[in-house]
Amino acid sequence: MKKIALIGSTGSIGVQVLNVVRKNPDKFSIISLAAGKNVGLLYEQAKEFSPKVVCSAVYSEEIGKLSAEYFFGEEAYIDAVVADADMVVVSLVGFSGLKAVLKAVKTGKNVALANKESLVVGGDIVTKLAREKGVAIYPIDSEHSAVWQALDFDFAKPFERIILTASGGAFRDKTFEETENLTAAQALKHPNWNMGAKITIDSATLVNKGFEVIEAKWLFNASFDKIDVIIHRESVIHSMVEYKDGSVVAQLGVPSMELPIQVAISYPERFYSGATRLDLTAIKNLTFEKLDEERFPCFKEIVNAGKAGGAYPAVACGANDTAVAAFLKDRIKYTDIYRGIRGALDAFKGGYDGSYESLKSAHDFAAQYVKTRFGV
Ligand code: NDP
Ligand code: MG
């Protein structure tokens, strides 16, 4: 029985983690749950899974009455990394995931990671610390799960190239100029995946794919020139690995996050999932296109920030977190997300000493830049 600490239990990924746990009561138990403001759902989850510890950003009297130990406050999620957890699943959204991942790794816990922002921003410190502590980061992100599977679950296996697939998001057939006045409601209609609001916007801008390039760099110790991105509209092939001999190994499946979640939390086992099976004969077409970076300028900015390293990815992440939140409230234009990221990166004076604090201050600098520039 694997005891799971779940941080971000009420979100799109968190709920699906609990679906996998619910279907496999003989394999997993929930030792702790952490969420933000949705304390109604968190209360229901706590009643169903009886964790020892529950944490929420806002206080709930109802949760306080449960027999679990209860922590509340903006960073109370840290207390969900409990001593007797076998694995910590981090499905928080945005920069805050980094603190949770660092705490888990510091205390010697293997992490099943959905929160890609933590690797984008802090990949350097997270991977160093993980090596020191001898713990692993198992990817939940579907592309990285695909790569991990194509590597036979061997993070050290030599490869020639990682090929990440991208659906292209909601606006894949529009030029950058045509997206200027598109609304949050339009951007939230992802063609293939049903996900949380922030990542759905990140998929439309391709910030998400830029983040995934950086995530792949850290997870698989790959240089940027060994990571390619291609547009694959159907989201059937979740990503590929090319080997020295020219062989390309791909992972395929229906677009449901329950599968990569199960792969990550059940590793090194595989077991029956009950998931919809892929029917290849029902697929009329599988298409592949080169990524047009002119159409998706955010992608280029994010990858360049990754290449610049230091605190630049934290700046990009901070600007994006704040700009996307403002866009979701219809306070800025869609294309302002790009302007915010670009502007913050240009305005940043550098400064990184390898600490969490310097990443946080770069992130906060960028958030403030976006707030001031757009008056949000
Ligand atoms: P959601 O917005 O749906 O969920 C975010 C979760 O974080 C919620 O449970 C939310 O709680 C919680 N949270 C936010 N702030 C706090 C806080 N201060 N303290 C405790 N909990 C907090 O996001 P997703 O599930 O879509 O995404 C999660 C991560 O996974 C992201 O990094 C995303 O990029 C990545 N990912 C997501 C995929 C998807 O299919 N959704 C696919 C691949 C990666 P509450 O709602 O209660 O406020
Ligand atoms: Mg992904």
Side-chain angles (χ1 to χ4, degrees):
M1 177 78 75
K2 209 178 260 180
K3 293 191 260 348
I4 292 180
L6 174 56
I7 305 186
S9 64
T10 51
S12 159
I13 292 286
V15 163
Q16 294 180 83
V17 171
L18 292 177
N19 287 345
V20 175
V21 170
R22 188 179 290 117
K23 288 178 198 161
N24 297 280
D26 54 325
K27 302 210 185 307
F28 306 114
S29 67
I30 294 293
I31 188 110
S32 62
L33 288 174
K37 299 192 178 91
N38 192 350
V39 284
L41 178 56
L42 179 62
Y43 172 72
E44 294 303 323
Q45 294 175 338
K47 271 204 319 194
E48 180 181 352
F49 292 95
S50 309
K52 279 190 181 166
V53 171
V54 179
C55 313
S56 62
V58 300
Y59 177 70
S60 152
E61 209 177 307
E62 266 190 317
I63 295 176
K65 287 181 189 151
L66 294 172
S67 60
E69 205 177 342
Y70 181 37
F71 299 92
F72 55 90
E74 194 49 41
E75 291 193 344
Y77 59 84
I78 288 295
D79 293 305
V81 182
V82 292
D84 39 357
D86 296 314
M87 168 178 269
V88 180
V89 178
V90 182
S91 51
L92 288 174
V93 65
F95 178 77
S96 53
L98 177 57
K99 226 174 179 174
V101 172
L102 285 172
K103 167 90 186 278
V105 173
K106 261 182 207 151
T107 49
K109 308 289 176 200
N110 287 332
V111 175
L113 186 66
N115 177 271
K116 63 191 84 187
E117 294 91 338
S118 52
L119 277 185
V120 168
V121 173
D124 181 28
I125 35 184
V126 170
T127 52
K128 262 188 212 141
L129 197 62
R131 267 197 304 275
E132 259 171 58
K133 296 283 177 183
V135 302
I137 314 277
Y138 305 130
I140 284 180
D141 211 352
S142 59
E143 294 77 1
H144 305 74
S145 175
V147 170
W148 188 37
Q149 293 177 65
L151 288 169
D152 261 337
F153 298 105
D154 180 356
F155 287 103
K157 185 174 266 187
F159 57 84
E160 198 67 7
R161 201 159 60 109
I162 286 173
I163 306 161
L164 300 177
T165 53
S167 70
F171 302 150
R172 61 194 178 191
D173 293 316
K174 300 203 181 304
T175 62
F176 181 67
E177 290 68 31
E178 283 168 349
T179 60
E180 176 89 30
N181 293 311
L182 293 175
T183 63
Q186 288 168 303
L188 285 171
K189 288 194 189 110
H190 194 284
N192 305 345
W193 297 88
N194 183 10
M195 308 181 285
K198 191 224 171 211
I199 188 175
T200 307
I201 304 301
D202 288 352
S203 297
T205 56
L206 257 71
V207 160
N208 181 55
K209 210 48 63 177
F211 281 172
E212 290 183 352
V213 168
I214 303 175
E215 186 185 7
K217 170 200 155 59
W218 292 114
L219 280 171
F220 306 111
N221 192 19
S223 52
F224 284 103
D225 61 337
K226 285 196 165 184
I227 309 169
D228 281 355
V229 173
I230 55 168
I231 301 284
H232 166 50
R233 291 171 176 250
E234 297 79 16
S235 300
V236 172
I237 295 180
H238 297 311
S239 280
M240 298 168 252
V241 171
E242 184 183 313
Y243 288 96
K244 211 179 204 167
D245 54 10
S247 209
V248 177
V249 180
Q251 186 263 343
L252 288 70
V254 294
S256 157
M257 287 307 293
E258 279 194 36
L259 184 54
I261 287 168
Q262 177 164 321
V263 169
I265 68 174
S266 66
Y267 176 80
E269 268 188 89
R270 275 195 189 265
F271 46 77
Y272 186 75
S273 78
T276 314
R277 302 280 142 161
L278 181 64
D279 177 6
L280 284 170
T281 61
I283 299 166
K284 298 282 165 283
N285 231 345
L286 284 186
T287 60
F288 305 96
E289 298 153 58
K290 213 172 147 40
L291 169 65
D292 179 354
E293 292 190 3
E294 295 308 310
R295 266 175 47 194
F296 299 105
C298 288
F299 173 81
K300 208 154 80 181
E301 290 302 328
I302 299 292
V303 174
N304 283 341
K307 287 178 179 167
Y312 282 96
V315 172
C317 182
N320 185 59
D321 279 356
T322 308
V324 170
F327 175 66
L328 284 168
K329 290 181 192 142
D330 294 320
R331 301 236 173 100
I332 63 169
K333 288 182 175 194
Y334 179 74
T335 44
D336 288 339
I337 299 174
Y338 164 71
R339 293 183 192 105
I341 295 170
R342 178 65 212 245
L345 285 167
D346 284 345
F348 185 57
K349 298 278 181 288
Y352 173 58
D353 61 9
S355 70
Y356 169 83
E357 287 68 31
S358 62
L359 296 174
K360 171 98 175 79
S361 84
H363 178 275
D364 293 352
F365 162 84
Q368 194 51 51
Y369 171 89
V370 169
K371 283 181 191 159
T372 309
R373 172 159 177 178
F374 299 108
V376 291

